[in-house]
Amino acid sequence: MDPAVPDSLFKAYYQMERELFAMLVVYLCQSPTESMKIIALWIWLERNVSAVMFIPKMRLLPHTVIYAIMEETTKCLNFLQGRPNAADEFELPLLEMLMEKTVSLELFHQYSIIVTQGIKELLTTVCGRAFYDINIRVNQINTAAHQILPTLNEYSQRVMYLTFSRGKPVPVLTLLNYLRLTYGGDNIVHSLVMQQAGENTQSLYARAILENREIVENIMQGRNKVRLIVDGNPVWARKFVPIRYGSLAMARERYNFRGIVNRMLQLSGTIIFALVEGTGNCLCVLNHEPLAADDREISLLDIFMGSGTQTK
């Protein structure tokens, strides 16, 4: 595209690529530099190899599938840079499906100089200009995150979750007085928030922010979960464990991530809906929301991950 084209029109022309770049660096927590190389290779493949315009299709895919495609693309980039891949990693099934054309790492071996030069040119003429503003925002966010991380870490070490048994409610004032009298005085509880409940229902959990992490350690005594007796009723307490977003690589290492994605691509909408329901149950538990007893088994996820998985 002519360099004289205004930035606004240039960005509009590459809007789909911009959306994919933002997805990689924001939602999938990838390096902006590596993400630009990945997008540049996608553009080169679409222009020179693919039988179809596949980038518009990618915008409609879930993040998990985008992540798997990104892995295959990284494999190609590593190959071009002389980094070896395992013998069983020469196939690129997801890229083949997207491009509707047979392709393997052999292509990148045969045309390595052409592909490498094409990527470098696209990084300069397209990616650097089209993603410039997104890069600035991401850098600003990263800088701010580094500044507030110590505060967030200190805050998370002061948080506890408390859960109650059905039929054995614990009023908020009763719980507050118990914590104050048992663990150190009026000022030890910074805040105590109970789950909102209707007229005929009870709160099943609460979140307590204590004055410092030493109070949390005193309550937990080195255990993951402790049972407290408050006014004759059992209350289970545990530390707050923050969920690490962007940790898809951890999931991939523990479970057969690539196999899960490849199999999901072949499923009917009904089965995918059932999988979504099972995943929703997992998220409810992570958010400390109660589940019915028959919702705790997530057999479809068991089958996909090849492991016994429960929401407990």
Side-chain angles (χ1 to χ4, degrees):
M1 186 175 285
D2 190 336
V5 173
D7 280 349
S8 58
L9 292 179
F10 191 87
K11 291 175 184 176
Y13 184 82
Y14 288 104
Q15 181 58 32
M16 287 181 279
E17 288 82 358
R18 283 167 54 82
E19 290 177 18
L20 287 170
F21 178 73
M23 183 184 298
L24 293 180
V25 297
V26 177
Y27 293 102
L28 299 182
C29 302
Q30 301 302 304
S31 155
T33 301
E34 292 304 312
S35 297
M36 280 203 283
K37 293 178 183 178
I38 289 168
I39 300 287
L41 181 51
W42 287 344
I43 296 172
W44 188 89
L45 288 170
E46 186 177 71
R47 293 178 179 180
N48 298 279
V49 179
S50 178
V52 295
M53 301 287 285
F54 66 83
I55 288 178
K57 293 194 294 185
M58 292 183 67
R59 298 168 64 228
L60 305 176
L61 297 174
H63 294 173
T64 48
V65 179
I66 295 289
Y67 185 87
I69 296 170
M70 180 199 72
E71 281 194 315
E72 286 191 2
T73 310
T74 301
K75 191 193 306 181
C76 300
L77 292 170
N78 288 341
F79 191 82
L80 288 170
Q81 294 168 14
R83 300 173 191 164
N85 290 279
D88 60 348
E89 290 189 346
F90 273 68
E91 295 183 352
L92 306 168
L94 296 177
L95 283 171
E96 284 188 348
M97 179 198 69
L98 277 173
M99 296 191 290
E100 298 181 14
K101 189 168 183 177
T102 301
V103 62
S104 71
L105 288 181
E106 193 60 35
L107 168 77
F108 297 93
H109 174 71
Q110 188 174 355
Y111 300 103
S112 60
I113 296 176
I114 296 173
V115 179
T116 302
Q117 289 177 343
I119 291 172
K120 287 180 179 178
E121 182 180 349
L122 287 165
L123 286 172
T124 303
T125 60
V126 175
C127 298
R129 185 179 178 189
F131 308 150
Y132 178 74
D133 58 325
I134 301 174
N135 252 328
I136 290 177
R137 287 180 215 157
V138 169
N139 289 334
Q140 290 172 341
I141 292 169
N142 287 340
T143 301
H146 284 301
Q147 292 172 347
I148 65 172
L149 266 177
T151 302
L152 290 175
N153 288 335
E154 192 275 335
Y155 168 84
S156 68
Q157 292 171 354
R158 296 163 46 209
V159 180
M160 290 186 61
Y161 277 106
L162 305 140
T163 56
F164 318 116
S165 300
R166 288 187 183 276
K168 297 183 178 180
V170 178
V172 62
L173 288 178
T174 301
L175 180 59
L176 183 61
N177 288 332
Y178 170 86
L179 293 172
R180 286 172 171 171
L181 291 172
T182 309
Y183 296 105
D186 291 346
N187 297 322
I188 71 160
V189 181
H190 186 269
S191 70
L192 179 62
V193 180
M194 303 283 280
Q195 176 201 15
Q196 290 187 349
E199 290 185 17
N200 300 318
T201 59
Q202 70 169 87
S203 298
L204 293 174
Y205 62 87
R207 183 190 66 200
I209 303 174
L210 304 180
E211 189 63 26
N212 55 60
R213 67 179 182 180
E214 285 75 18
I215 300 170
V216 175
E217 298 299 335
N218 184 31
I219 295 172
M220 300 306 299
Q221 294 293 311
R223 291 170 287 181
N224 294 326
K225 184 165 67 173
V226 297
R227 184 172 182 259
L228 311 174
I229 301 298
V230 181
D231 198 25
N233 294 320
V235 175
W236 291 97
R238 65 179 184 81
K239 287 183 181 179
F240 168 68
V241 179
I243 300 170
R244 304 294 182 188
Y245 293 97
S247 60
L248 289 171
M250 293 171 56
R252 180 196 60 207
E253 291 174 4
R254 183 166 183 181
Y255 302 112
N256 184 12
F257 187 84
R258 175 64 58 80
I260 295 171
V261 172
N262 287 342
R263 289 197 294 274
M264 286 189 74
L265 291 172
Q266 304 171 25
L267 293 179
S268 68
T270 303
I271 296 178
I272 289 179
F273 181 78
L275 283 168
V276 170
E277 280 195 318
T279 309
N281 289 341
C282 297
L283 293 174
C284 285
V285 172
L286 289 173
N287 289 322
H288 315 289
E289 298 172 8
L291 285 175
D294 57 355
D295 284 336
R296 293 183 178 272
E297 299 295 333
I298 45 180
S299 55
L300 274 176
L301 288 177
D302 287 351
I303 294 168
F304 265 75
M305 294 190 291
S307 63
T309 309
Q310 288 187 320
T311 56
K312 299 174 187 176

